[in-house]
Amino acid sequence: MINYKGAPMIETKRLILRKMEMNDANRMFDVIFSDHRVMDNLIKGPHKTISETINRLTEITKQYVSDKFCYWGIVLKESGELIGTIDLYNINEDTENCEVGYDIGFNWWNQGYGTEALHAVVEFAFRFMNIHKISATHGIDNPASGKIMLKVGMKREGIIRDMIRKNNQYKDCGIYGILQQEYLEMNLPNQISILNKIE
Ligand SMILES: CC(C)(COP(=O)(O)OP(=O)(O)OC[C@H]1O[C@@H](n2cnc3c(N)ncnc32)[C@H](O)[C@@H]1OP(=O)(O)O)[C@@H](O)C(=O)NCCC(=O)NCCS
């Protein structure tokens, strides 16, 4: 059975994962949601106005009342700067499987933060929530996303042809997954601390 824990505060070596807040709107618009370099790799394109970001954050923050909502902002421990987001979604109670999505602001790419955040959430899902399998897909023109999945132990399971359509162009996606048992058998040292009390 899945042990839902909501989105507790998670600490890694360099990051804090925490709940998003409405007053993150300006920052999120500036470093993530308005930046086509980040958003072109996601299903929905960049936000044109701050009000789109405010609407999105309203949608996100009101879901924290449910302990089934697992969405975090990614914050640099040293500076307190918010640099991205990560979430577990499509949590299926029949299979106990879910998907993971993430984004890091362009200025912080290629410094290992995406890998560190993904590893934290994978560990949290398997060790604390008892999730059975985590999957994710990425457009084949976005190899960095596939790279971080491989770095946390996810396996490439195949290509889904024409999975998404952006600007009227279909794109193939790579699909990746990792099973709880595979992760636990890797016997990795724990990467995360949970900073608030969870049951
Ligand atoms: C995907 C993303 C989260 C990666 O975050 P990040 O913090 O840059 O990731 P890391 O620094 O931990 O690792 C990136 C890896 O990709 C590699 N990489 C970067 N660009 C690459 C490219 N064009 N081809 C192949 N590998 C590439 C880097 O070398 C690094 O691997 P290494 O550590 O072995 O050298 C970030 O690029 C992003 O937010 N992109 C836009 C949003 C997005 O794509 N979200 C996922 C949708 S599926």
Side-chain angles (χ1 to χ4, degrees):
M1 217 171 77
I2 299 176
N3 299 320
Y4 290 105
K5 310 253 178 239
M9 198 178 273
I10 297 175
E11 181 179 18
T12 69
K13 194 162 158 249
R14 297 177 296 168
L15 304 172
I16 299 283
L17 309 187
R18 62 141 170 92
K19 289 187 174 111
M20 300 294 295
E21 296 161 6
M22 282 313 296
N23 60 17
D24 292 324
N26 285 326
R27 171 80 183 171
M28 283 306 294
F29 180 73
D30 290 344
V31 301
I32 306 276
F33 288 137
S34 70
D35 189 341
H36 69 90
R37 294 168 299 191
V38 178
M39 298 301 282
D40 284 353
N41 295 298
L42 304 175
I43 302 281
K44 291 187 180 151
H47 292 181
K48 292 190 182 66
T49 62
I50 182 82
S51 59
E52 286 177 73
T53 303
I54 290 170
N55 290 343
R56 178 75 187 113
L57 272 180
T58 305
E59 245 173 53
I60 291 168
T61 52
K62 71 181 182 207
Q63 292 180 77
Y64 285 124
V65 292
S66 164
D67 66 358
K68 298 185 176 177
F69 189 61
C70 306
Y71 192 113
W72 295 266
I74 303 170
V75 172
L76 295 182
K77 240 158 71 169
E78 205 172 276
S79 62
E81 290 170 293
L82 181 65
I83 63 161
T85 73
I86 187 159
D87 67 319
L88 296 171
Y89 67 101
N90 281 349
I91 301 176
N92 182 307
E93 295 192 346
D94 294 325
T95 58
E96 299 179 347
N97 296 343
C98 70
E99 295 181 53
V100 63
Y102 40 79
D103 46 64
I104 298 281
F106 180 77
N107 288 345
W108 298 275
W109 284 9
N110 296 319
Q111 298 172 53
Y113 295 127
T115 306
E116 196 167 317
L118 180 58
H119 197 160
V121 166
V122 165
E123 181 181 330
F124 176 71
F126 289 145
R127 272 184 54 214
F128 292 87
M129 292 177 67
N130 197 32
I131 290 287
H132 175 70
K133 179 179 183 183
I134 303 172
S135 301
T137 55
H138 72 88
I140 44 144
D141 55 352
N142 181 21
S145 180
K147 188 78 186 281
I148 74 169
M149 295 190 221
L150 291 174
K151 286 173 70 172
V152 304
M154 297 175 77
K155 291 188 167 61
R156 185 164 175 151
E157 297 179 340
I159 295 270
I160 305 181
R161 294 179 302 151
D162 285 358
M163 183 182 176
I164 48 177
R165 182 156 70 168
K166 280 205 87 166
N167 305 325
N168 228 14
Q169 277 226 303
Y170 283 102
K171 262 192 218 177
D172 295 349
C173 287
I175 180 157
Y176 294 67
I178 183 166
L179 305 177
Q180 182 187 37
Q181 193 184 336
E182 285 168 349
Y183 181 79
L184 297 178
E185 281 173 4
M186 287 196 281
N187 259 324
L188 298 173
N190 295 345
Q191 313 279 318
I192 62 171
S193 314
I194 308 295
L195 295 183
N196 38 3
K197 211 168 151 205
I198 53 173
E199 281 156 33

